[in-house]
Amino acid sequence: MKTNTFVLLILIGIIIITVTACVPGGGEFYGQNPAGLFYGIWHGWIAPISLIISFFKPSIRIYEVNNTGFWYDFGFYIAIISGFGGISLTRKKLWKSDKE
């Protein structure tokens, strides 16, 4: 039992380190290398983690300022909507079928 807990804690630590390596505002994007659609999706998914980190490290942001414009915004918005329950049409159908 203790070994399983230890392994779980190690895995959680690795996941946290991996996720925080790609937060917005880390300095990897600049004028000639802006963040695109897929980075927008990634930054949208990790927005809650970025918010918590930004309390302790002000250089980290939720949203990457150096981006490609519409496509980054589109990816970020899609990730926020789908990641936080905005796609509720499917959930309502599943919920109704469970009640019957």
Side-chain angles (χ1 to χ4, degrees), residues 18-88:
T18 304
V19 166
T20 58
C22 303
V23 293
E28 64 187 88
F29 299 107
Y30 46 89
Q32 295 176 355
N33 183 27
L37 172 70
F38 296 112
Y39 278 107
I41 293 170
W42 177 251
H43 292 159
W45 280 338
I46 65 168
I49 296 167
S50 299
L51 178 65
I52 293 169
I53 294 171
S54 70
F55 289 132
F56 304 104
K57 191 172 181 183
S59 65
I60 301 299
R61 301 282 181 227
I62 295 174
Y63 183 85
E64 180 63 52
V65 178
N66 297 318
N67 61 55
T68 56
F70 173 79
W71 289 111
Y72 178 85
D73 294 341
F74 180 72
F76 189 84
Y77 184 70
I78 292 299
I80 291 289
I81 293 294
S82 65
F84 300 123
I87 304 175
S88 62

